[in-house]
Amino acid sequence: MNAVPSTLLQQTDQLSGSVTRPIPGSRKIHVEGSRPDLRVAMREIVQTRTPTLFGGEENPPITVYDPSGPYTDPDVTIDLAAGLAPLRARWIEERGDTEALSALTSAFGRGREHDLKLAHVRFPSRTLPRVAKAGANVTQMHYARRGIVTPEMEYVAIRENQRLELVRDALLRQQHPGEAFGAHIQQVITPEFVRDEIARGRAILPNNINHPESEPMIIGRNFLTKINANIGNSAVSSGIAEEVEKLVWSIRWGGDTVMDLSTGKHIHETREWIIRNSPVPIGTVPIYQALEKVDGRAEELTWEIFRDTLIEQAEQGVDYFTIHAGVLLRYVPLTAKRVTGIVSRGGSIMAKWCLAHHRESFLYEHFEDICEIMKAYDVAFSLGDGLRPGCIADANDAAQFGELETLGELTKIAWKHDIQTMIEGPGHVPMQLIKENMDKQLRECGEAPFYTLGPLTTDIAPGYDHITSAIGAAMIGWYGTAMLCYVTPKEHLGLPNREDVRDGIMAYKIAAHAADLAKGHPGAQVRDNALSKARFEFRWQDQFHLGLDPEKAEAFHDETLPKDAHKAAHFCSMCGPNFCSMKITQDVREYAAEHGVDTGDALAAGMAEKSEEFRAQGAEVYRPG
Amino acid sequence: MNAVPSTLLQQTDQLSGSVTRPIPGSRKIHVEGSRPDLRVAMREIVQTRTPTLFGGEENPPITVYDPSGPYTDPDVTIDLAAGLAPLRARWIEERGDTEALSALTSAFGRGREHDLKLAHVRFPSRTLPRVAKAGANVTQMHYARRGIVTPEMEYVAIRENQRLELVRDALLRQQHPGEAFGAHIQQVITPEFVRDEIARGRAILPNNINHPESEPMIIGRNFLTKINANIGNSAVSSGIAEEVEKLVWSIRWGGDTVMDLSTGKHIHETREWIIRNSPVPIGTVPIYQALEKVDGRAEELTWEIFRDTLIEQAEQGVDYFTIHAGVLLRYVPLTAKRVTGIVSRGGSIMAKWCLAHHRESFLYEHFEDICEIMKAYDVAFSLGDGLRPGCIADANDAAQFGELETLGELTKIAWKHDIQTMIEGPGHVPMQLIKENMDKQLRECGEAPFYTLGPLTTDIAPGYDHITSAIGAAMIGWYGTAMLCYVTPKEHLGLPNREDVRDGIMAYKIAAHAADLAKGHPGAQVRDNALSKARFEFRWQDQFHLGLDPEKAEAFHDETLPKDAHKAAHFCSMCGPNFCSMKITQDVREYAAEHGVDTGDALAAGMAEKSEEFRAQGAEVYRPG
């Protein structure tokens, strides 16, 4: 093991302290599957009893989906320099179709490994990666198509159900019918359904065999809507410790996957620290690093450099690669009259390359060679939308939709190799044009999962683009997008800091949950119902704990009513004690009870009778006299 | 004139300084109508020239809608203790159908006027109000139905057009076709169209004859989508100076109307300060004050107390009243099994009254008497949704929709009296149930403007309900809602402070503008196009200035790249100089130009040729060799 410089370790020690405090009101639980080493992590929110005034009943704990990993588990000791426990290692080894390498395959990776100048930033506990045995295909899609239900698939099935079977209270179970636009929403997710969806290509389970630390999760429109958080340093700002901090911070607030978009120095080492400490799938855009290797001169990129980069990253454990293989030569001129041209970094790099060489890109020409790499590690494709619109004016244009059609063709090639594939989408799109994006994606790409950035529904709010885009994200999630890539308030302006990351994730957790409610995912409304019941009964702490951000909710409440006594107050600062409508509603019920009508049926009956009397008397708006 | 205590004046002096600084990059302009005293206030955002690298052309100033009033006009000296200039006074007097009172009509108002203990908080420059002459109806709807185009209507027409006729640049003028769901969107708003819409009841122009300081604006789905900001102290917090500050702050960021929901002491005096200093229409919920007059005991409310309150507020100049006349006895038991019962304060007050008296409310029984008051001052109805759902579970239920049907009946009665009327809507509604609200409202209420709170699309995000609700607001605005009532991050938790008000307004400006884009309002996309062009050309200052919040955009940018030189940088902190996709796109264009193809048609032609060549060679993904 390499020696780790004390400064970096101290930094990471500090970080782990600040982001691993327990989430207020919650406890970590694990639901065991068909084998003892299959323990699905969830979060349980404990509720207090209803005040006697309102009935005095017990309120059941509410189970919620939890991507925060071991960081919020008080039973786990976190050691960032050691990395997380490789919970999937045994499952991978058991399959017998992979082998440990004796050296890194990537020339660049080997070079970094032996560079003494990097000792101070290198992850200290690195083990050698695995690779598929000769001729083997180790993707979850390959297993699925052969009818195999892997432990990963079972994990996902248990995880998606969120122990809904334990919720028996009728009030909590009530839910409006959804409108799913043709999605196949299940009442109960079975491991077999997970397998079938992966086999069809309608869902992906991104989990590189070299990222055994990851807790399996699934991306597909027949499952809960997921969100991605982007982190990553740049040449201008931030370092390794800060990025690991952002990773842990992101998943604490609910990020389901994290993309490492680093472009600065130590990109390789930063990625290693992130993956070794990440319980969620990590995505990257390998062309960013490839471009660094040619000092930013896009036209000097080659297939060989790119190939070595893919292998370098696949052997580190990256779970999905954004690959902009759909940027074809003939689409580039279609962007010339756009208001904002090409705004995807990857897209513009490839466009520049195509123009410089007057030929299709090596990504397109070597697409099947890329598939061979993907299947040897089970890296999923995230087919990049390099020509996505960068402003409202450019939405749904010929360049964007041309590329989408090509992504559909590439999806079919990837599927021929049993490579898990999702498709990236826009961007900036006004509301009336959003559904066309979803419909076309489903049609062109055979229902492969859609993974969209926003879309932003207007261009005029720099500083608030988490909101302009949460509107579009909620809508496209409802229409069928499987994963929503977050946008922070700093979009277009600067690099997000911690609070920006939190704001971006919250906006996207809201969008994703609003989409789940609208699609009618079973049990999606349980948490809303529980929180609303708590609100109605003035159970302030339960209301905070059931919310997406308990810490902020409590802090906001305390700004106006800081005293502890007010946590039990039957009013809030909005209206004061005499004007609280919730309190008045309680008075209404009490009044009704005193006068011989009870809540519920009795009240309804009693009032219906009075109402009948009233109508029998004429029911006129203006009675004589 | 009464003496004003120095403390209050000092407070208001301080306030006016902090919220009246010019909006960066903007200047106030006035567009003159058919008479010299008809000068429509707008804001013009000045742009810089395009850098030579990108073409070097001039960029025209962009005109935007501006509700901020004289506060952002450097030519106006603000004196809060004197109030704003009464710009409509002459128009009102000219019509000859009103007269000045010799004393306040309301007994309560007279009492406050002569209470020495109130001298220290009383607005010092109060003049006596006006009222319709006996038998006269002074509503804009009454004039409209008689074919009269008032100066107010002309003002609105000029204002809505935003000088779109000056925008000639094809890039700026481009706009996607909208989907207006049956709205009658005009290419140009004429005074006659305004008159016709008001006459039909499809729009309202709220402007009490006793609020001559207001700049006319219109609320209707065939006009730009508007937003409302709520302010108001409560028994728990805040005072007069703080509320006036919030008013000016709200309109600075774009609030089109402001509701004063004060419930604490000095409610009458606070309102006077607000109205005298407000260039936007002010709405209230008179039942709140009436309840204070009976010490919070809802069952002791009487028609006489309520009537006196209506007149008191009408003579102060309130422009629209929320009246919960649709809470009928027979609907109350329909709420008994709800998760959160009745959450509207007004609704719960009236429900309690109905139950206590076993009869329909005085609001319902005296509805035509209320109309008589409204028409004497031109106060508009905002028919309150007292039974709106307070959580996702309760959305679109029998109580809510029953009340909406009654509001439809009341609309027709109001229209019989030529009273301008809008309808309040929910609340908490999951996305898939939003459109049903809009469709039913249009059907039941004869296309009277809909005015909704959110709706919030999930209950699980206390602390972020400006976002949960901006999603619903954008959608229902698209479907046809005319005005969106903002929700701040403090909703459900506490009273909003200044920053919360700003966040709430920004979220709603975004929702309203996204709705305008989606409906296809002419010119709605001009600002998006201008901002995106500035973004593409690295005109950072123009990008900030064209945004909804120039100050925040610049502050965010400067967090990462604080140096002035970076304001002219052709990259941003997101990606650094080598990775900026915008820069690479420029490189693409330059490269193309150097190689004999130019941007635009030439580039398209050149590339199409190359592309043809490519396809002629086989256009295969994997060419042999």
Side-chain angles (χ1 to χ4, degrees):
Chain A
M1 249 190 251
N2 298 313
V4 184
S6 58
T7 49
L8 186 57
L9 272 192
Q10 279 165 2
Q11 279 179 297
T12 51
D13 274 354
Q14 287 165 1
L15 297 175
S16 62
S18 71
V19 292
T20 59
R21 63 180 181 274
I23 295 174
S26 284
R27 67 186 192 96
K28 197 89 178 180
I29 59 167
H30 292 87
V31 178
E32 195 172 305
S34 62
R35 45 190 286 175
D37 67 347
L38 200 163
R39 298 172 66 244
V40 182
M42 300 185 190
R43 180 157 68 93
E44 191 179 76
I45 303 171
V46 181
Q47 296 198 82
T48 61
R49 186 186 283 270
T50 293
T52 313
L53 174 66
F54 305 130
E57 71 270 20
E58 294 275 0
N59 291 292
I62 303 295
T63 307
V64 296
Y65 197 99
D66 179 18
S68 67
Y71 296 98
T72 51
D73 187 345
D75 296 340
V76 174
T77 305
I78 299 293
D79 177 359
L80 294 181
L84 299 178
L87 69 88
R88 296 195 302 114
R90 195 165 147 195
W91 309 343
I92 295 162
E93 283 170 31
E94 274 178 1
R95 288 193 277 264
D97 51 3
T98 60
E99 58 194 5
L101 287 161
S102 55
L104 296 182
T105 311
S106 145
F108 183 87
R110 283 197 305 273
R112 301 295 280 195
E113 212 63 359
H114 300 114
D115 187 339
L116 288 172
K117 292 193 301 295
L118 297 171
H120 69 294
V121 291
R122 193 178 289 127
F123 179 76
S125 318
R126 173 132 191 203
T127 55
L128 280 166
R130 304 184 74 83
V131 68
K133 287 180 179 168
N137 183 332
V138 302
T139 71
Q140 293 286 323
M141 189 178 205
H142 188 66
Y143 305 138
R145 286 181 163 182
R146 288 187 300 163
I148 297 168
V149 174
T150 63
E152 287 88 343
M153 297 174 197
E154 185 188 345
Y155 190 107
V156 157
I158 295 170
R159 193 173 199 183
E160 290 281 321
N161 288 322
Q162 295 181 81
R163 298 205 303 176
L164 181 59
E165 72 281 3
L166 298 186
V167 182
R168 297 210 181 79
D169 185 276
L171 183 142
L172 295 182
R173 284 300 289 253
Q174 67 177 293
Q175 184 163 329
H176 297 286
E179 164 56 76
F181 297 107
H184 296 77
I185 307 294
Q186 305 294 298
Q187 283 309 303
V188 176
I189 304 288
T190 63
E192 169 56 24
F193 180 73
V194 172
R195 186 204 61 73
D196 190 56
E197 289 288 293
I198 294 170
R200 284 167 182 255
R202 290 204 300 215
I204 69 169
L205 198 166
N207 58 350
N208 187 322
I209 56 169
N210 290 312
H211 187 197
E213 302 90 346
S214 72
E215 298 172 353
M217 55 79 70
I218 196 159
I219 301 165
R221 74 173 167 138
N222 298 322
F223 301 95
L224 294 168
T225 308
K226 304 302 188 298
I227 70 164
N228 172 71
N230 291 334
I231 62 173
N233 61 354
S234 82
V236 179
S237 171
S238 76
I240 289 180
E242 195 175 332
E243 294 312 311
V244 176
E245 159 88 13
K246 278 188 201 158
L247 162 74
V248 182
W249 185 250
S250 299
I251 60 178
R252 175 180 180 81
W253 297 115
D256 292 295
T257 77
V258 166
M259 289 194 77
D260 173 17
L261 304 184
S262 295
T263 52
K265 64 178 178 178
H266 302 149
I267 180 172
H268 177 92
E269 290 68 29
T270 304
R271 188 185 308 123
E272 189 74 27
W273 278 92
I274 288 174
I275 294 171
R276 296 288 73 80
N277 287 290
S278 176
V280 302
I282 298 295
T284 62
V285 188
I287 202 79
Y288 293 175
Q289 189 183 3
L291 189 65
E292 293 218 335
K293 293 176 181 176
V294 293
D295 296 323
R297 291 186 287 272
E299 59 278 17
E300 293 184 12
L301 283 165
T302 64
W303 162 240
E304 289 68 28
I305 289 168
F306 187 72
R307 178 178 177 280
D308 193 73
T309 306
L310 288 185
I311 294 171
E312 171 202 343
Q313 297 196 12
E315 294 191 351
Q316 286 188 297
V318 173
D319 300 286
Y320 60 89
F321 285 153
T322 293
I323 308 255
H324 299 94
V327 179
L328 299 193
L329 201 49
R330 66 177 179 271
Y331 301 144
V332 177
L334 299 176
T335 68
K337 286 192 147 178
R338 279 179 160 185
V339 174
T340 55
I342 300 174
V343 297
S344 150
R345 278 192 264 172
S348 51
I349 293 164
M350 294 322 298
K352 191 170 179 182
W353 193 96
C354 288
L355 287 187
H357 295 269
H358 280 311
R359 61 186 287 188
E360 297 301 355
S361 76
F362 49 86
L363 301 180
Y364 186 70
E365 296 197 345
H366 286 277
F367 193 73
E368 297 207 62
D369 297 323
I370 297 172
C371 289
E372 295 299 332
I373 297 168
M374 308 297 261
K375 72 170 78 161
Y377 305 95
D378 197 7
V379 184
F381 273 117
S382 184
L383 294 177
D385 56 335
L387 304 180
R388 69 167 175 269
C391 65
I392 292 295
D394 297 342
N396 293 22
D397 73 354
Q400 182 200 339
F401 280 170
E403 183 187 33
L404 182 55
E405 289 161 20
T406 299
L407 298 185
E409 292 164 24
L410 295 172
T411 300
K412 285 162 192 72
I413 296 171
W415 283 352
K416 196 179 71 183
H417 292 269
D418 295 349
I419 314 292
Q420 305 192 87
T421 302
M422 61 181 171
I423 312 296
E424 296 185 9
H428 294 235
V429 185
M431 285 194 287
Q432 82 275 25
L433 301 187
I434 291 177
K435 192 154 188 303
E436 185 183 6
N437 275 276
M438 189 70 233
D439 293 344
K440 186 172 175 71
Q441 189 274 341
L442 289 170
R443 196 168 59 245
E444 299 290 343
C445 304
E447 298 189 73
F450 205 22
Y451 167 32
T452 63
L453 179 78
L456 287 71
T457 53
T458 164
D459 304 334
I460 67 168
Y464 299 87
D465 277 330
H466 60 313
I467 300 177
T468 66
S469 66
I471 293 167
M475 292 174 68
I476 207 163
W478 176 23
Y479 300 151
T481 290
M483 185 156 77
L484 307 169
C485 182
Y486 89 166
V487 171
T488 78
K490 287 275 172 59
E491 182 77 12
H492 300 117
L493 297 170
L495 278 177
N497 63 23
R498 266 171 57 136
E499 282 311 302
D500 297 321
V501 167
R502 182 182 184 176
D503 283 341
I505 288 185
M506 284 300 148
Y508 275 70
K509 289 298 283 182
I510 289 166
H513 185 69
D516 289 340
L517 284 176
K519 289 167 75 177
H521 273 289
Q525 206 180 301
V526 171
R527 192 170 178 181
D528 296 78
N529 296 341
L531 191 147
S532 295
K533 184 171 187 286
R535 182 173 279 159
F536 186 68
E537 295 170 354
F538 299 103
R539 287 184 279 122
W540 286 102
Q541 289 290 358
D542 290 354
Q543 189 187 151
F544 304 151
H545 296 162
L546 286 161
L548 288 176
D549 187 343
E551 293 166 3
K552 178 164 281 187
E554 181 153 4
F556 274 7
H557 176 269
D558 289 359
E559 274 182 35
T560 326
L561 289 178
K563 290 178 204 131
D564 270 353
H566 281 132
K567 296 283 165 41
H570 290 169
F571 61 91
C572 72
S573 60
M574 292 289 282
C575 315
N578 274 331
F579 287 84
C580 177
S581 58
M582 296 261 186
K583 183 167 185 306
I584 291 176
T585 300
Q586 287 298 339
D587 291 346
V588 166
R589 290 187 182 177
E590 281 166 42
Y591 183 92
E594 283 167 21
H595 289 70
V597 284
D598 201 351
T599 51
D601 289 338
L603 175 57
M607 290 311 306
E609 194 182 304
K610 288 291 171 195
S611 182
E612 274 307 311
E613 279 174 29
F614 171 74
R615 274 173 294 183
Q617 287 159 17
E620 284 171 16
V621 180
Y622 307 105
R623 270 186 279 181
Chain B
M1 249 191 251
N2 299 312
V4 184
S6 58
T7 49
L8 185 58
L9 272 192
Q10 279 165 1
Q11 278 179 299
T12 50
D13 274 352
Q14 286 166 0
L15 298 175
S16 60
S18 72
V19 293
T20 59
R21 62 178 181 273
I23 294 174
S26 285
R27 66 186 192 95
K28 197 89 178 179
I29 58 166
H30 293 87
V31 178
E32 195 171 303
S34 62
R35 44 190 287 176
D37 67 348
L38 201 163
R39 298 172 66 244
V40 182
M42 300 185 190
R43 180 157 67 93
E44 191 179 77
I45 303 171
V46 180
Q47 296 198 82
T48 61
R49 185 185 284 270
T50 292
T52 314
L53 175 65
F54 305 129
E57 71 270 20
E58 295 275 359
N59 291 292
I62 303 294
T63 306
V64 297
Y65 197 99
D66 179 18
S68 68
Y71 296 99
T72 50
D73 187 347
D75 296 339
V76 174
T77 304
I78 299 294
D79 178 359
L80 294 181
L84 300 178
L87 70 89
R88 297 195 301 115
R90 192 165 149 196
W91 310 342
I92 294 163
E93 284 169 30
E94 275 177 0
R95 287 193 277 263
D97 52 3
T98 59
E99 57 195 6
L101 287 160
S102 56
L104 296 182
T105 311
S106 146
F108 182 87
R110 285 197 303 274
R112 302 294 280 194
E113 211 64 358
H114 300 113
D115 187 340
L116 288 173
K117 293 193 302 294
L118 297 171
H120 69 292
V121 290
R122 194 177 290 127
F123 179 76
S125 318
R126 174 133 189 203
T127 55
L128 280 167
R130 303 184 75 82
V131 68
K133 287 180 178 166
N137 183 332
V138 301
T139 72
Q140 293 286 324
M141 189 178 204
H142 187 66
Y143 303 139
R145 286 181 163 182
R146 289 188 299 163
I148 298 167
V149 175
T150 62
E152 287 88 342
M153 296 174 198
E154 185 188 344
Y155 190 107
V156 158
I158 295 170
R159 193 172 198 181
E160 289 281 322
N161 288 323
Q162 294 180 84
R163 298 205 301 178
L164 180 59
E165 72 280 3
L166 298 187
V167 182
R168 299 212 179 76
D169 184 276
L171 184 142
L172 295 182
R173 284 301 287 254
Q174 68 177 293
Q175 183 163 331
H176 297 287
E179 164 56 77
F181 297 107
H184 296 77
I185 307 294
Q186 305 294 299
Q187 284 308 303
V188 175
I189 304 289
T190 62
E192 169 57 23
F193 180 74
V194 172
R195 186 205 59 73
D196 190 56
E197 289 288 293
I198 294 170
R200 284 168 182 253
R202 289 203 301 215
I204 69 170
L205 198 165
N207 57 350
N208 187 321
I209 55 169
N210 291 312
H211 188 197
E213 302 90 346
S214 73
E215 297 172 354
M217 54 80 68
I218 195 159
I219 302 166
R221 75 171 165 140
N222 298 324
F223 301 94
L224 294 167
T225 307
K226 305 303 188 298
I227 69 164
N228 172 71
N230 291 334
I231 61 173
N233 61 353
S234 81
V236 179
S237 170
S238 75
I240 290 178
E242 195 175 332
E243 295 312 310
V244 176
E245 159 88 14
K246 277 187 200 159
L247 161 74
V248 182
W249 185 250
S250 299
I251 60 178
R252 174 179 180 81
W253 297 115
D256 292 294
T257 77
V258 166
M259 289 194 77
D260 174 16
L261 304 184
S262 295
T263 53
K265 63 178 180 176
H266 302 147
I267 178 173
H268 177 91
E269 289 69 30
T270 304
R271 188 185 307 122
E272 190 73 28
W273 278 92
I274 288 174
I275 294 172
R276 296 289 73 80
N277 287 289
S278 175
V280 302
I282 298 294
T284 62
V285 188
I287 202 80
Y288 294 175
Q289 189 184 4
L291 190 65
E292 293 217 334
K293 293 176 181 176
V294 294
D295 296 324
R297 291 184 288 272
E299 59 278 16
E300 294 184 11
L301 283 165
T302 63
W303 162 240
E304 288 70 27
I305 289 168
F306 187 73
R307 179 178 177 278
D308 193 72
T309 306
L310 289 185
I311 294 171
E312 171 201 343
Q313 297 195 11
E315 293 190 352
Q316 285 188 297
V318 173
D319 301 285
Y320 60 89
F321 286 153
T322 293
I323 308 257
H324 298 93
V327 179
L328 299 192
L329 200 50
R330 66 177 179 273
Y331 301 144
V332 177
L334 298 176
T335 67
K337 285 192 146 177
R338 280 179 160 186
V339 174
T340 54
I342 300 174
V343 296
S344 150
R345 279 191 264 172
S348 51
I349 293 165
M350 296 322 299
K352 191 171 179 182
W353 193 96
C354 289
L355 286 186
H357 296 269
H358 280 312
R359 61 185 288 187
E360 296 302 356
S361 76
F362 50 85
L363 302 180
Y364 187 70
E365 295 194 345
H366 286 277
F367 192 73
E368 296 208 63
D369 296 324
I370 297 171
C371 289
E372 295 299 333
I373 297 167
M374 308 295 262
K375 73 171 77 162
Y377 304 95
D378 196 8
V379 184
F381 273 118
S382 184
L383 294 177
D385 56 334
L387 304 180
R388 69 168 175 268
C391 65
I392 292 295
D394 297 342
N396 293 22
D397 73 354
Q400 182 200 338
F401 279 170
E403 182 187 34
L404 182 55
E405 289 161 20
T406 300
L407 298 185
E409 293 164 23
L410 295 171
T411 300
K412 285 163 192 72
I413 295 170
W415 284 352
K416 197 179 69 184
H417 292 269
D418 295 348
I419 314 292
Q420 305 192 85
T421 303
M422 61 180 171
I423 313 296
E424 295 185 9
H428 293 235
V429 185
M431 284 193 288
Q432 83 276 25
L433 302 187
I434 291 176
K435 192 153 189 303
E436 185 184 5
N437 276 275
M438 189 70 235
D439 293 344
K440 186 174 175 70
Q441 190 274 341
L442 288 171
R443 196 167 59 242
E444 299 290 344
C445 304
E447 298 190 71
F450 205 21
Y451 168 32
T452 63
L453 179 78
L456 287 71
T457 53
T458 164
D459 303 335
I460 67 168
Y464 299 87
D465 278 329
H466 60 313
I467 299 177
T468 66
S469 67
I471 294 167
M475 292 174 69
I476 207 162
W478 176 23
Y479 300 151
T481 290
M483 186 158 75
L484 307 169
C485 182
Y486 89 165
V487 171
T488 78
K490 287 276 171 61
E491 182 78 11
H492 301 118
L493 297 170
L495 278 177
N497 61 24
R498 265 171 56 136
E499 281 312 301
D500 297 322
V501 167
R502 182 182 184 176
D503 283 341
I505 288 185
M506 283 300 147
Y508 275 71
K509 289 298 285 182
I510 289 167
H513 185 69
D516 288 340
L517 284 175
K519 289 167 76 178
H521 273 289
Q525 205 179 303
V526 171
R527 191 170 176 181
D528 296 78
N529 296 342
L531 191 148
S532 295
K533 182 171 188 284
R535 182 173 278 159
F536 186 68
E537 295 170 354
F538 299 103
R539 286 183 279 122
W540 287 102
Q541 290 291 358
D542 289 352
Q543 189 187 153
F544 305 150
H545 296 162
L546 287 161
L548 289 176
D549 187 343
E551 293 166 4
K552 177 163 281 187
E554 181 153 5
F556 274 8
H557 175 269
D558 289 358
E559 274 182 34
T560 326
L561 288 180
K563 289 178 204 130
D564 270 352
H566 281 131
K567 296 283 164 41
H570 289 169
F571 61 91
C572 72
S573 60
M574 292 290 282
C575 314
N578 274 331
F579 286 85
C580 177
S581 58
M582 295 261 185
K583 182 168 185 304
I584 291 177
T585 300
Q586 287 299 340
D587 291 346
V588 166
R589 291 187 182 177
E590 282 167 42
Y591 182 93
E594 284 168 18
H595 289 71
V597 285
D598 201 351
T599 51
D601 290 336
L603 175 56
M607 289 310 305
E609 193 182 304
K610 286 290 170 194
S611 183
E612 274 306 313
E613 279 174 28
F614 171 72
R615 274 173 293 183
Q617 287 159 14
E620 283 172 14
V621 181
Y622 306 105
R623 270 187 278 181

